[in-house]
């Protein structure tokens, strides 16, 4: 049966890699974003604002997807606003598609805040989850916009009789410009600044993160699991963690990243040294670096998200994720984490985003 995908958030990290993976397998793919990518061969762009129900319905008038992949969110100042806005985005989308009767499956991408809660919540309360994180762990008794997004999917699935999956990555590593959560590119930009200025490449996070075990999610792994779940009956109506499949310590990886850029690595100093503060005054410097090296993006904020990198690397616990659930159902993909970073850095250089 012909499969038509609507990838929501197709200009972001997860969405863009998912769109490419689907196109490679012969799907018809529509990519929805406020400013959709028009440079991906085969992708049919859809410009729409998920908070504008009327405009969204108009934009989707001629789109009849069999599968929907929701890979986007919008950051707000409070968790209550995160819940209101991000739940409305999912609800408006699924309402706009409801009358078509074509949707067979909806995949929602969330993340490990499902288990950890908003950073402020677990940092302030001192309540830390058990790791490795497993899909069987119950929801936390706190506000969380991921739960609100899931509930919108569940309600629409019951109404329109489609299947669903939820995918929970941990720190997605991949190339996208203008993404709100982009640890890999942030570290590449930070290392470039360190090389240009002679600063040490200082680890900004906590001792627990420096010494503890961690994992991340290559965007290619996320895309593989999304496509696998769409084609696997046993995966229907399940939530899955998705990470690379290996474990590492930042005390090992930090020096390898420094070596790739030819900078001096400085490890955990005994206190957290936030990257947001370290890079706060680097906007003019980055514009100068971009001009001297002929880079295509002179706006530091379009490439780097140090606030989010600080949240990831500043956690007071080690964080790693169990993937037994999808493994038992046949998902066997694997990605070495150091190669995830090195591949990204090579892509950024080839795209003239770093020198």
């Amino acid at each position: 049966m012909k499969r038509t995908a609507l990838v929501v958030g197709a200009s972001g990290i997860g969405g863009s890699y998912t769109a490419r993976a689907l196109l490679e397998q012969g799907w018809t793919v529509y990519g929805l974003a406020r400013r959709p990518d028009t440079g991906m061969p085969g992708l049919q762009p859809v410009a729409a604002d998920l908070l504008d129900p009327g405009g969204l319905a108009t934009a989707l008038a001629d789109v009849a997807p069999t599968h929907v992949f929701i890979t986007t969110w919008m950051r707000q100042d409070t968790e209550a606003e995160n819940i209101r806005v991000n739940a409305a985005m999912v609800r408006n989308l699924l309402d706009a598609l409801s009358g078509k009767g074509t949707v067979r499956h909806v995949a929602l991408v969330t993340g490990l805040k499902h288990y950890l809660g908003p950073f402020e919540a677990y940092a302030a309360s001192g309540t830390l989850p058990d790791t490795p994180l497993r899909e069987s762990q119950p929801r936390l008794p706190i506000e969380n916009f991921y739960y609100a997004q899931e509930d919108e999917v569940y309600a629409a699935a019951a109404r329109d009789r489609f299947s669903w999956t939820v995918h929970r990555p941990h720190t997605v590593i991949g190339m996208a410009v203008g993404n709100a959560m982009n640890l890999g590119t942030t570290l590449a930009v930070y290392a470039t600044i360190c090389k240009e200025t002679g600063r040490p490449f200082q680890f900004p996070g906590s001792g627990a993160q420096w010494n503890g075990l961690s994992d991340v999610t290559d965007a290619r792994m996320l895309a593989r699991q999304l496509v696998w779940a769409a084609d696997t009956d046993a995966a229907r109506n399940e939530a899955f963690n998705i990470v690379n499949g290996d474990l590492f310590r930042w005390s090992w990886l930090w020096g390898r990243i420094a070596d790739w850029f030819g900078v001096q690595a400085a490890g955990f100093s005994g206190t957290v040294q936030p990257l947001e503060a370290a890079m706060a005054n680097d906007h003019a410097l980055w514009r100068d670096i971009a001009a001297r090296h002929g880079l295509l993006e002179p706006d530091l904020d379009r490439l780097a998200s140090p606030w989010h990198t600080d949240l990831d690397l500043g956690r007071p616990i080690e964080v790693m994720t169990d993937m037994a659930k999808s493994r038992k159902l046949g998902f066997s993909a694997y990605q070495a984490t150091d190669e995830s970073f090195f591949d990204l850095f090579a892509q950024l250089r080839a795209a003239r985003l770093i020198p």
Side-chain angles (χ1 to χ4, degrees):
M1 188 178 296
K2 182 179 180 181
R3 297 173 299 177
T4 299
L6 175 63
V7 179
V8 182
S11 61
I13 298 178
S16 61
Y17 282 78
T18 299
R20 288 191 193 95
L22 292 164
L23 288 166
E24 288 171 0
Q25 295 200 15
W27 290 56
T28 298
V29 183
Y30 292 87
L32 187 151
R34 282 175 294 174
R35 293 178 293 276
D37 184 356
T38 57
M40 187 183 300
L43 182 67
Q44 301 183 49
V46 178
D49 182 347
L50 294 174
L51 293 175
D52 176 8
L56 183 60
T58 300
L60 293 173
D62 297 324
V63 181
T66 58
H67 294 69
V68 181
F69 301 85
I70 304 173
T71 70
T72 190
W73 73 292
M74 188 178 296
R75 185 189 182 199
Q76 304 297 310
D77 290 336
T78 66
E79 194 62 17
E81 278 298 290
N82 275 332
I83 290 170
R84 183 185 68 81
V85 169
N86 289 284
M89 290 165 61
V90 174
R91 182 170 61 253
N92 292 342
L93 171 71
L94 298 180
D95 284 352
L97 297 172
S98 181
K100 297 178 183 292
T102 61
V103 176
R104 304 202 302 264
H105 182 75
V106 172
L108 172 67
V109 177
T110 60
L112 294 198
K113 286 194 293 294
H114 182 94
Y115 310 106
L116 302 172
F119 177 78
E120 296 80 2
Y122 72 79
S125 69
T127 301
L128 303 175
D130 292 331
T131 57
L133 302 171
R134 303 176 191 277
E135 298 94 339
S136 58
Q137 292 173 218
R139 288 183 175 184
L140 301 173
I142 56 176
E143 291 187 327
N144 191 322
F145 80 88
Y146 284 167
Y147 304 160
Q149 287 182 309
E150 287 184 348
D151 289 343
E152 294 293 343
V153 171
Y154 301 156
R159 177 190 67 200
D160 297 333
R161 299 184 179 181
F162 57 72
S163 64
W164 54 266
T165 49
V166 176
H167 304 260
R168 299 169 184 159
H170 179 196
T171 307
V172 179
I173 305 301
M175 190 174 79
V177 176
N179 192 272
M181 301 187 295
N182 201 332
L183 180 143
T185 300
T186 299
L187 294 184
V189 169
Y190 176 49
T192 299
I193 290 172
C194 290
K195 186 170 185 177
E196 292 281 332
T197 61
R199 299 182 204 168
F201 184 56
Q202 177 67 55
F203 180 74
S206 68
Q209 282 288 301
W210 178 254
N211 294 308
L213 291 171
S214 191
D215 49 27
V216 297
T217 306
D218 190 301
R220 295 169 294 190
M221 284 287 291
L222 174 58
R224 288 173 189 168
Q225 193 188 65
L226 285 163
V227 176
W228 165 81
D231 280 336
T232 302
D233 289 341
R236 300 288 188 267
N237 303 331
E238 297 285 352
F240 297 105
N241 294 330
I242 173 63
V243 287
N244 283 354
D246 63 358
L247 295 169
F248 69 93
R249 301 181 197 274
W250 280 105
S251 57
W252 169 78
L253 184 59
W254 196 254
R256 293 177 63 78
I257 294 174
D259 289 344
W260 198 95
F261 285 95
V263 295
Q264 177 187 353
F268 177 61
S269 65
T271 60
V272 173
Q273 299 192 40
L275 200 56
E276 189 170 22
M279 299 178 68
N281 299 316
D282 287 337
H283 292 77
L285 172 62
W286 186 258
R287 286 194 296 272
D288 177 65
I289 292 171
R292 286 190 286 108
H293 292 279
L295 305 183
L296 297 182
E297 183 51 75
D299 185 349
L300 184 63
D301 291 335
R302 293 271 295 158
L303 292 174
S305 51
W307 68 272
H308 179 260
T309 299
D310 286 338
L311 293 184
D312 271 2
L313 300 186
R315 291 172 179 149
I317 54 170
E318 63 178 10
V319 177
M320 81 290 294
T321 312
D322 179 76
M323 277 191 58
K325 187 176 182 181
S326 60
R327 297 296 194 212
K328 289 178 181 178
L329 295 178
F331 181 73
S332 60
Y334 168 86
Q335 171 64 49
T337 289
D338 55 347
E339 293 176 4
S340 290
F341 281 92
F342 300 155
D343 289 351
L344 169 62
F345 301 155
Q347 284 182 286
L348 292 170
R349 183 166 285 171
R352 293 171 55 202
L353 292 171
I354 61 172

